Amino acid sequence: MSYPIIICEDDPTQLKRLRTLIENYLLFHNNFFQLDLSVITPNEVLEYLKSSAPSHGTYILDIDLQADINGIDLAEQIREFDINGNIIFTTTHDEMAPTTLKRKVAAIGFIEKDQSIESYRDELYGTLTYIEKLTTKSPEAKQHFTFEVGNQLFNFDQDEVFSIESSSVPHQLVFTSKTGQYEFYGKLKELEKQYTFLFQLSRSCLINVSNVRQIDFPSRSVLLKNGTTKKFSIGKAAKLKRTINAL
């Protein structure tokens, strides 16, 4: 699969230059990256995130966007949609670099515009090459799923998790694993943010996408490896497909 590149630069001249550099880079790396979006306003990026649900995207953002939000604000919102995204800042304000650390947006690159086109190009290409190596050679560490029931603490390997659903008891969740079912108090939205391997299939159900056996898009149903079937809403279809393809 190819991973998306998204550019947000408010200066049309700078945007055109950056887009040209990326297109030239893709002539030799189009099997890994694809240029999905190059826009002037941050709102266009947010609309793209909502409609496309990208995973492991590379976001090249100008810090000073001359809009309601700046590049750092935009990066924080990108993290809500694409937690594994790679963020590259381009700016003439190099003094803003410490702010990106304080805001915890985990930028992978910080490229100054005030340098020769050759230096700018080399730094950009070097960062993209680094992202490619990082993505292909560094497997994502597996998480453990933990919860408490009374005075007991339960700890499960990621591969043991099948689903977490809302219970008929208010504020309780039903956790299904390879060894059985458990009920505990919690919130699905908080668990989705905490555990990156969980996918929100519907308002009442999270699943471990690694344990999906089959997806039937016409009937909007997912068959898990334990033989259970879960339904998903039509609005989740595109994101579910992208998430499965990214595994």
Side-chain angles (χ1 to χ4, degrees):
M1 66 172 290
S2 296
Y3 294 94
I5 292 177
I6 297 90
I7 305 171
C8 189
E9 165 62 65
D10 70 298
D11 184 331
T13 302
Q14 294 276 4
L15 179 62
K16 182 179 179 180
R17 182 182 75 161
L18 186 51
R19 187 170 57 235
T20 300
L21 288 173
I22 295 296
E23 288 171 347
N24 289 339
Y25 182 86
L26 294 184
L27 291 175
F28 304 96
H29 299 80
N30 62 346
N31 289 329
F32 188 84
F33 291 112
Q34 64 183 33
L35 181 57
D36 268 17
L37 190 72
S38 58
V39 294
I40 291 175
T41 67
N43 284 337
E44 292 174 280
V45 176
L46 295 176
E47 287 300 319
Y48 164 83
L49 292 169
K50 293 174 184 177
S51 62
S52 300
S55 178
H56 293 82
T58 293
Y59 304 85
I60 305 174
L61 312 175
D62 180 19
I63 284 187
D64 189 8
L65 287 171
Q66 300 296 317
D68 293 338
I69 62 174
N70 61 30
I72 302 176
D73 298 326
L74 178 58
E76 285 188 323
Q77 295 191 51
I78 286 171
R79 283 274 172 253
E80 294 293 320
F81 291 90
D82 187 357
I83 194 169
N84 295 309
N86 300 291
I87 295 171
I88 303 172
F89 287 117
T90 64
T91 185
T92 55
H93 304 287
D94 56 356
E95 71 277 4
M96 295 293 291
T99 304
T100 65
L101 296 176
K102 290 180 181 179
R103 299 280 288 276
K104 296 180 174 63
V105 294
I108 205 164
F110 199 95
I111 303 175
E112 295 183 38
K113 296 180 182 179
D114 294 339
Q115 57 182 318
S116 68
I117 183 62
E118 291 81 10
S119 298
Y120 183 92
R121 178 199 62 208
D122 291 346
E123 195 169 345
L124 174 64
Y125 288 2
T127 305
L128 291 174
T129 300
Y130 174 71
I131 289 172
E132 184 172 352
K133 290 180 179 178
L134 194 66
T135 304
T136 56
K137 296 185 178 180
S138 298
E140 192 172 309
K142 290 188 176 182
Q143 294 179 290
H144 289 262
F145 187 82
T146 61
F147 59 89
E148 293 183 38
V149 178
N151 294 322
Q152 294 180 306
L153 177 66
F154 293 86
N155 181 38
F156 290 83
D157 291 338
Q158 176 178 321
D159 295 337
E160 296 181 280
V161 178
F162 284 106
S163 63
I164 303 100
E165 299 175 89
S166 298
S167 169
S168 57
V169 179
H171 310 299
Q172 270 200 348
L173 302 175
V174 178
F175 166 68
T176 303
S177 72
K178 287 184 177 180
T179 57
Q181 287 189 337
Y182 304 80
E183 291 199 18
F184 65 98
Y185 289 97
K187 295 181 179 180
L188 291 177
K189 183 170 289 188
E190 292 180 358
L191 293 178
E192 184 193 15
K193 290 181 179 180
Q194 183 178 357
Y195 298 100
T196 58
F197 65 89
L198 292 177
F199 180 89
Q200 186 176 14
L201 205 61
S202 66
R203 298 177 71 177
S204 61
C205 181
L206 297 173
I207 63 167
N208 179 0
V209 289
S210 297
N211 279 329
V212 169
R213 175 82 66 193
Q214 179 183 343
I215 303 175
D216 189 326
F217 287 98
S219 65
R220 299 202 299 273
S221 62
V222 170
L223 175 65
L224 298 178
K225 292 179 181 178
N226 65 347
T228 60
T229 300
K230 309 296 179 185
K231 291 285 188 177
F232 61 90
S233 60
I234 191 170
K236 296 290 184 180
K239 184 176 181 180
L240 177 60
K241 188 173 184 179
R242 290 181 70 98
T243 302
I244 293 295
N245 287 337
L247 291 178

